[in-house]
């Protein structure tokens, strides 16, 4: 064991999709991990792989000695706040507590101050990699005191993808940097979650760009379809220009090879289309878990234009029917001033 608890290298609170993936990756690196979760079945599954299970957060602290490294990986929002408040009442001096979820960076600043008052350390760790991080490695964006970050280098190195996961930008430099391995100390408290927040805002925009482009391709057969001819429907002026029946699965597959738009998001899109070409298992209601909103909020606060990211966020709202009233108002106004009736097209 390294610089973590005298009992475990890391204590994990939360054994859901992300938490379990983190634990599995640590165990494969030979580290000792204690875990607790509201689901005994989830804990038992990780115990079968070598983790030590605890029935509760309180039991975990009673059974272990400091200095501990405690990672909280539970759903963001009220649950994170509740768990961290519990942990705050249990920590010893020099314990390191990590929030690895998608919490707002301003919350991290406030929480770091609370833990500092208990002579404990708090790190905000933006964690990217999703359910594939277990195998591919997790990209880690870390905020907090440098000394606490350095104490857990063995944890970051075990979780991150490693230098070999991407071609080095400058291979002439003899020693690889932590960021080349896949983790980075971004700055003081809140910095990790701020960087992860913007990362997810970019993710919204990138996903929207793929989705919109593929939607154009999916509708490039408009000239082959019979369109209603009435005063309310703008005609397709050159139907002979839009007579393509594109195979989206094949297109995304070829784009993965040598294209400038190749990415892991495209890899995942190609896999989804190969399995379900019409995406018939999806309703098209796209959720947002907060980071896109916070990115736009921050941009407004500091006066930075983010039209692409804002548009991507608003399109997610629209996908859930939150623009229904606006569209009905538009129809009502058109009917009122021009007698226009709604068209089926």
């Amino acid at each position: 064991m390294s610089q973590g608890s005298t009992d475990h290298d890391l204590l994990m609170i939360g054994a859901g999709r992300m938490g379990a993936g983190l634990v599995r990756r640590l165990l494969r690196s030979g580290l000792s991990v204690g875990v607790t979760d509201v689901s005994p079945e989830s804990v038992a599954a990780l115990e079968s792989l070598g983790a030590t299970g605890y029935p509760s957060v309180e039991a975990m602290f009673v059974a272990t000695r400091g200095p501990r490294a405690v990672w909280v990986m539970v759903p963001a929002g009220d649950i994170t706040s509740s768990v961290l408040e519990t942990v705050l009442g249990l920590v010893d001096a020099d314990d390191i507590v990590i929030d690895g979820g998608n919490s707002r960076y301003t919350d991290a600043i406030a929480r770091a101050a609370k833990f500092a008052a208990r002579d404990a350390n708090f790190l905000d760790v933006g964690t990217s990699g999703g359910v594939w991080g277990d195998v591919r490695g997790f990209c880690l964006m870390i905020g907090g005191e440098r000394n606490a970050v350095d104490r857990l280098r063995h944890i970051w190195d075990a979780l991150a993808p490693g230098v070999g996961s991407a071609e080095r930008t400058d291979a002439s430099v003899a020693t690889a940097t932590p960021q080349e391995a896949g983790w980075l100390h971004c700055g003081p408290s809140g910095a990790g979650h701020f960087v992860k927040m913007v990362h997810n805002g970019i993710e919204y925009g990138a996903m929207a760009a793929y989705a919109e482009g593929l939607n154009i391709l999916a509708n490039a057969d408009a000239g082959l379809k019979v369109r209603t001819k009435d005063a309310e429907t703008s005609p397709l002026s050159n139907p002979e220009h839009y007579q393509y029946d594109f195979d989206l699965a094949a297109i995304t597959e070829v784009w993965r090879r040598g294209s400038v738009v190749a990415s892991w998001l495209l890899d995942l899109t190609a896999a989804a289309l190969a399995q379900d070409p019409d995406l018939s298992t999806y309703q098209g209601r796209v959720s947002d878990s907060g980071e896109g909103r916070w990115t736009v909020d921050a941009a407004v606060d500091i006066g930075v234009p983010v039209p692409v990211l804002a548009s991507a966020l608003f399109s997610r709202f629209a996908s859930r029917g939150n623009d229904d009233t606006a569209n009905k108002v538009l129809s009502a106004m058109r009917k009122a001033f021009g007698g226009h009736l709604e068209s089926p097209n």
Side-chain angles (χ1 to χ4, degrees):
M1 282 170 221
S2 299
Q3 299 288 317
S5 165
T6 52
D7 299 280
H8 297 290
D9 289 286
L10 186 76
L11 300 173
M12 179 66 70
I13 301 175
R17 289 173 297 181
M18 290 287 284
L22 291 161
V23 171
R24 288 192 296 267
R25 191 165 177 87
L26 290 170
L27 291 173
R28 286 201 304 273
S29 295
L31 300 183
S32 173
V33 185
V35 62
T36 188
D37 190 86
V38 294
S39 167
E41 294 78 13
S42 297
V43 174
L46 293 173
E47 284 183 301
S48 70
L49 299 176
T52 301
Y54 296 96
S56 67
V57 174
E58 292 82 359
M60 173 182 279
F61 272 83
V62 169
T64 59
R65 297 162 292 166
R68 305 174 184 86
V70 184
W71 190 307
V72 176
M73 201 67 176
V74 298
D78 294 341
I79 299 177
T80 297
S81 296
S82 175
V83 171
L84 285 172
E85 282 298 316
T86 297
V87 171
L88 181 64
L90 298 170
V91 291
D92 294 324
D94 292 329
D95 282 355
I96 300 174
V97 178
I98 299 163
D99 177 9
N102 285 323
S103 299
R104 195 162 190 168
Y105 77 96
T106 50
D107 292 337
I109 296 172
R111 287 164 179 160
K114 288 184 177 181
F115 279 92
R118 295 290 305 270
D119 294 322
N121 303 277
F122 180 85
L123 300 177
D124 49 285
V125 179
T127 308
S128 183
V131 296
W132 293 93
D134 176 6
V135 176
R136 292 168 54 97
F138 295 91
C139 175
L140 305 172
M141 296 146 271
I142 309 166
E145 293 293 331
R146 168 73 67 181
N147 288 340
V149 174
D150 288 344
R151 282 170 54 190
L152 299 184
R153 289 182 68 98
H154 62 298
I155 299 294
W156 319 134
D157 285 336
L159 291 173
V163 176
S165 62
E167 183 179 350
R168 295 191 68 194
T169 302
D170 186 356
S172 66
V173 178
T175 304
T177 59
Q179 55 265 33
E180 289 182 280
W183 65 271
L184 176 67
H185 179 213
C186 299
S189 295
H193 280 165
F194 193 100
V195 173
K196 179 57 161 52
M197 173 188 76
V198 176
H199 164 285
N200 283 24
I202 293 170
E203 182 181 291
Y204 280 35
M207 292 171 70
Y210 283 124
E212 291 178 12
L214 291 171
N215 197 31
I216 294 172
L217 293 172
N219 288 278
D221 62 349
L224 298 172
K225 298 176 180 178
V226 176
R227 295 168 63 91
T228 301
K229 296 182 179 180
D230 56 43
E232 301 303 320
T233 305
S234 177
L236 184 62
S237 57
N238 297 105
E240 68 276 13
H241 293 170
Y242 301 99
Q243 306 214 358
Y244 302 110
D245 182 15
F246 288 122
D247 183 339
L248 300 190
I251 289 171
T252 53
E253 192 64 38
V254 74
W255 281 354
R256 295 179 59 216
R257 293 163 172 81
S259 165
V260 295
V261 300
S263 73
W264 185 41
L265 284 174
L266 183 62
D267 294 344
L268 297 175
T269 303
L273 287 167
Q275 183 176 5
D276 181 8
D278 297 323
L279 300 179
S280 57
T281 56
Y282 299 92
Q283 297 180 14
R285 293 175 59 87
V286 188
S287 299
D288 71 289
S289 54
E291 300 83 9
R293 303 185 189 208
W294 306 334
T295 302
V296 173
D297 287 345
V300 171
D301 286 345
I302 59 181
V304 173
V306 287
V308 172
L309 306 191
S311 177
L313 173 65
F314 295 150
S315 71
R316 292 192 177 200
F317 297 164
S319 77
R320 304 196 294 268
N322 293 338
D323 60 349
D324 286 353
T325 297
N327 291 329
K328 290 177 181 178
V329 169
L330 289 171
S331 288
M333 287 190 290
R334 292 188 77 248
K335 182 178 180 181
F337 69 67
H340 302 286
L341 300 177
E342 289 184 327
S343 170
N345 288 337

